[in-house]
Amino acid sequence: MHFIDVAKGKAKPNGVKDLDVWSFFAAIPGQRFPSDKRHTHVDFGPSKFGRWSRELPRFSHFRGRRVDLFMRALPVDVNAEPAAALRKYLSVGRTESARRLAAKGVVLIDPVERRGEIVWPR
C-alpha cells in the first residue's frame, strides 16, 4: 500500500512494516501444489526502508526489513496474462488468501518490463 499511496500522491502514505512477495504459478490440473511450506520469511537486508522498530524478537537478527514470501497456484493457463489472472483471483475471492490479499495493494515485480504496475486496486 505504501508504493500505491506514494504513486497516487497521498499526503500521508501507509508506512512500510514488512514486504509481502507473492509468487503465483499456473496450477497443473489434478495435481496438488508441490510446496508443503507456502509461506516463509527472509531478510531483505539493508535498504532505504530501514528496520521496523517493532519487529518480533524471532526476527531481531534481520539487518533490514522482513520479507514474507508466499506461493500459490492459480487455476489459469501457463500463458495467462499476469495482471488479468491476479484481478480475477482477487475479485472472486474464493480463498482466505485471496480475500486477505484483496484488502491490500498488489504491484507487479515480474516480468521486469512491467515492474511497478499497479494491479490491485484498479
Side-chain angles (χ1 to χ4, degrees):
M1 287 308 301
H2 179 80
F3 180 89
I4 293 170
D5 288 349
V6 170
K8 291 182 177 180
K10 195 171 182 182
K12 286 188 142 192
N14 191 45
V16 178
K17 180 182 90 175
D18 64 1
L19 303 171
D20 292 343
V21 176
W22 289 73
S23 296
F24 294 97
F25 303 90
I28 299 171
Q31 291 190 22
R32 185 180 181 284
F33 189 68
S35 177
D36 289 334
K37 189 170 185 180
R38 300 183 301 168
H39 178 209
T40 191
H41 315 282
V42 295
D43 185 358
F44 187 75
S47 74
K48 67 180 181 180
F49 300 115
R51 289 184 51 130
W52 187 47
S53 61
R54 295 177 282 169
E55 192 67 75
L56 299 171
R58 67 183 174 148
F59 301 115
S60 63
H61 64 285
F62 281 15
R63 297 179 323 160
R65 293 286 168 166
R66 185 180 79 232
V67 180
D68 295 334
L69 302 175
F70 301 88
M71 295 183 287
R72 295 293 183 274
L74 302 182
V76 298
D77 183 75
V78 70
N79 296 314
E81 197 284 314
L86 287 171
R87 286 186 188 112
K88 182 176 180 181
Y89 170 71
L90 297 170
S91 62
V92 173
R94 290 187 179 146
T95 66
E96 182 67 21
S97 294
R99 288 188 290 277
R100 287 185 178 205
L101 188 54
K104 300 182 180 276
V106 176
V107 178
L108 289 180
I109 59 174
D110 196 61
V112 174
E113 62 274 6
R114 293 180 67 180
R115 185 168 290 161
E117 180 181 327
I118 298 171
V119 173
W120 190 271
R122 291 191 87 176

